[in-house]
């Protein structure tokens, strides 16, 4: 019964996200102090490299315009009654039709296609677990264990548990499909306002992706760079995720309640 649009998501997340943007760089610098403190030559080198690259090519302009169009479609999709998946396929179709991407390009990205196949399997498994009643069973056990709590304490406990469970998932989407509805149901039945429980879980579904090297697909970029060792990645992920959770609980919670009326 709680409707979430792009606008409401943006407003609800604004204050805790801006706070995290200010706090996180300082926190990370404490754990991993940069070896270089100043790079005055960087702007000059960047301008030189941009000059060597020349103006944007045809394919780059098409890609930029397609991305902007898809972004607008996703932002206003609910009000325009547009399907998010259809917008994504339309963007891919534009790139293929204009020759920016070719079938040969797609064929080379075997690892990417394998990832999509595995994600499809995870989606199917999550859907079947729900249809067979397993998620309902988990929700009932969780409710019995957390019954009797005041709703603020229940809210904090559910968010912390939801975030911690991401150690056992290799995808944000798979955990959302498997657990978000269960945790939302337990929270609202325990007295947590849906206008707080839903955004709290949705925001947690983003910031917990860095808790492990395999916690989100974007982490592959960091792992592949070889800049941080495996143990350092786990350390960085733990403390960064903990900082996010504390910011969203102690700053985000009162802000969400305030803007929700």
């Amino acid at each position: 019964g709680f409707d979430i649009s792009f606008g409401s998501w943006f407003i609800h997340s604004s204050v805790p996200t801006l706070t995290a943007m200010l706090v996180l760089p300082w926190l990370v610098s404490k754990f991993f102090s940069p070896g270089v403190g100043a790079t005055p030559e960087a702007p000059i080198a960047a301008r030189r490299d941009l000059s060597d690259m020349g103006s944007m090519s045809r394919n780059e302009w098409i890609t930029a315009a397609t991305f902007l169009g898809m972004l607008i479609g996703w932002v206003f999709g609910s009000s325009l009654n547009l399907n998010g998946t259809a917008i994504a396929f339309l963007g891919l179709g534009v790139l293929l039709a204009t020759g920016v991407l070719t079938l040969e390009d797609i064929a080379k990205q075997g690892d990417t296609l394998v990832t999509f196949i595995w994600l499809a399997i995870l989606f199917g498994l999550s859907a079947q677990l729900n249809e067979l009643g397993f998620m309902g069973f988990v929700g009932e056990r969780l409710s019995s264990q957390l019954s009797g709590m005041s709703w603020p304490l229940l809210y904090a406990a559910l968010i912390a548990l939801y975030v911690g469970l991401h150690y056992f998932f290799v995808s944000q989407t798979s955990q959302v499909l498997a657990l978000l509805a269960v945790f939302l149901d337990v929270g609202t039945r325990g007295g947590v306002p849906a206008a707080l429980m839903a955004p709290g879980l949705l925001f947690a579904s983003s910031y917990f992706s860095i808790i492990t090297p395999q916690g989100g697909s974007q982490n592959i970029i960091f792992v592949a760079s070889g800049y941080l060792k495996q143990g350092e990645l786990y350390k960085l992920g733990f403390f960064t995720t903990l900082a996010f959770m504390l910011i969203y609980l102690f700053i985000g919670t009162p802000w969400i309640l305030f803007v929700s009326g």
Side-chain angles (χ1 to χ4, degrees):
F2 178 66
D3 181 57
I4 299 175
S5 64
F6 175 83
S8 64
W9 164 83
F10 185 83
I11 294 172
H12 282 72
S13 65
S14 59
V15 170
T17 300
L18 289 171
T19 303
M21 290 171 66
L22 294 173
V23 172
L24 263 297
W26 172 83
L27 179 67
V28 173
S29 70
K30 295 300 180 182
F31 289 107
F32 300 97
S33 299
V36 179
T39 55
E41 71 283 356
I44 300 174
R47 283 192 292 268
R48 184 177 62 248
D49 290 344
L50 284 173
S51 177
D52 293 341
M53 290 173 63
S55 59
M56 289 179 63
S57 65
R58 167 190 174 273
N59 287 354
E60 289 171 335
W61 278 113
I62 293 174
T63 302
T66 303
F67 174 76
L68 181 61
M70 292 169 64
L71 191 62
I72 294 173
W74 285 326
V75 169
F76 299 102
S78 57
S79 58
L80 298 176
N81 198 26
L82 299 175
N83 181 274
T85 305
I87 294 171
F89 273 108
L90 178 62
L92 176 62
V94 170
L95 296 180
L96 287 171
T98 55
V100 175
L101 277 180
T102 65
L103 294 178
E104 289 74 18
D105 294 328
I106 297 176
K108 293 176 183 177
Q109 304 299 323
D111 293 341
T112 304
L113 294 176
V114 168
T115 300
F116 278 116
I117 292 172
W118 277 111
L119 283 174
I121 294 171
L122 288 170
F123 296 164
L125 288 172
S126 299
Q128 283 300 307
L129 286 172
N130 188 42
E131 289 183 14
L132 294 173
F134 177 76
M135 294 308 169
F137 172 80
V138 172
E140 291 176 4
R141 301 283 77 75
L142 193 59
S143 297
S144 63
Q145 294 296 322
L146 299 176
S147 61
M149 285 186 175
S150 62
W151 75 257
L153 186 60
L154 175 63
Y155 170 71
L158 286 172
I159 293 295
L161 184 60
Y162 183 76
V163 171
L165 283 172
H166 199 55
Y167 274 109
F168 303 101
F169 285 84
V170 295
S171 162
Q172 294 165 258
T173 310
S174 61
Q175 181 170 342
V176 169
L177 289 172
L179 298 180
L180 190 141
V182 175
F183 277 66
L184 181 59
D185 181 60
V186 171
T188 52
R189 282 195 289 162
V192 183
L196 173 64
M197 194 75 240
L201 288 171
L202 289 174
F203 299 152
S205 300
S206 294
Y207 64 69
F208 69 16
S209 68
I210 55 173
I211 200 169
T212 65
Q214 69 277 4
S217 57
Q218 70 279 2
N219 295 5
I220 298 172
I221 300 173
F222 301 116
V223 176
S225 70
Y227 182 73
L228 295 177
K229 298 177 181 178
Q230 191 83 344
E232 292 175 327
L233 286 165
Y234 276 98
K235 177 183 176 182
L236 178 64
F238 171 78
F239 284 107
T240 306
T241 302
L242 179 62
F244 268 124
M245 186 169 64
L246 293 175
I247 289 170
Y248 275 84
L249 282 177
F250 289 102
I251 296 177
T253 299
W255 170 250
I256 293 172
L257 291 172
F258 171 74
V259 297
S260 299

